[in-house]
Amino acid sequence: MGTQNKQQVQIGDWVKLQSSKGERIHGYVEKHTGNNQVLQLRVVTSDNHLLAGHSIQVQLDKLERETPFTRYTLAELEQLIDLALLTNDKAWFDALSTQYKHLHSELTEIIT
């Protein structure tokens, strides 16, 4: 990953990497550690199923930042809203709620 991309990795960013054993890991950045080259990652999915749901520390240069999604289904937005509530992320909750309302009104117009 280039130097610019490394500096752009922030808390909440979705990332992927491959472990030293070749296992694919996918998750999001929870926090920066005291060392600027190490981040704490919440593993969402992994070839190593024991890692899923746990936090791990990873080297910044091992991460590849995921391209953010721009469009979700209503069901996906509902799940993300629940996650925003669980993490007490008001800004994310507000943004997701706005997307949900907009998509819901679009779908209502199509149906009627």
Side-chain angles (χ1 to χ4, degrees), residues 7-8 23 43-44 46 60 72 74 95 99 104 109-110:
Q7 293 172 348
Q8 294 176 358
E23 302 161 331
V43 178
V44 176
S46 174
L60 180 60
Y72 297 102
L74 285 177
Q99 288 179 34
H104 188 270
E109 288 178 16
I110 291 171

Side-chain angles (χ1 to χ4, degrees), residues 7-8 14 19 22-23 39 48 56 65 79 82 94-95 102:
Q7 293 172 348
Q8 294 176 358
W14 288 90
S19 75
E23 302 161 331
L39 300 173
N48 180 347
I56 60 173
R65 189 168 180 236
Q79 291 178 349
D82 287 345
D94 290 342
H102 180 71

Side-chain angles (χ1 to χ4, degrees), residues 2 54 62 90:
H54 294 281
K62 304 286 184 193
K90 183 177 176 357

Side-chain angles (χ1 to χ4, degrees), residues 85-98:
L85 287 169
L86 287 170
T87 58
N88 295 318
D89 190 331
K90 183 177 176 357
W92 191 30
F93 172 82
D94 290 342
L96 291 168
S97 295
T98 300

Side-chain angles (χ1 to χ4, degrees), residues 68-82:
F69 293 108
T70 56
R71 189 81 169 180
Y72 297 102
T73 66
L74 285 177
E76 289 170 331
L77 284 168
E78 288 170 357
Q79 291 178 349
L80 290 171
I81 288 169
D82 287 345

Side-chain angles (χ1 to χ4, degrees), residues 27-82:
Y28 59 91
V29 177
E30 285 187 308
K31 69 178 183 178
H32 295 274
T33 64
N35 179 346
N36 289 335
Q37 298 303 311
V38 178
L39 300 173
Q40 183 169 315
L41 173 70
R42 173 65 63 162
V43 178
V44 176
T45 60
S46 174
D47 292 339
N48 180 347
H49 301 291
L50 297 174
L51 292 177
H54 294 281
S55 294
I56 60 173
Q57 291 188 353
V58 295
Q59 295 285 333
L60 180 60
D61 61 351
K62 304 286 184 193
L63 297 177
E64 182 179 335
R65 189 168 180 236
E66 291 279 354
T67 305
F69 293 108
T70 56
R71 189 81 169 180
Y72 297 102
T73 66
L74 285 177
E76 289 170 331
L77 284 168
E78 288 170 357
Q79 291 178 349
L80 290 171
I81 288 169
D82 287 345

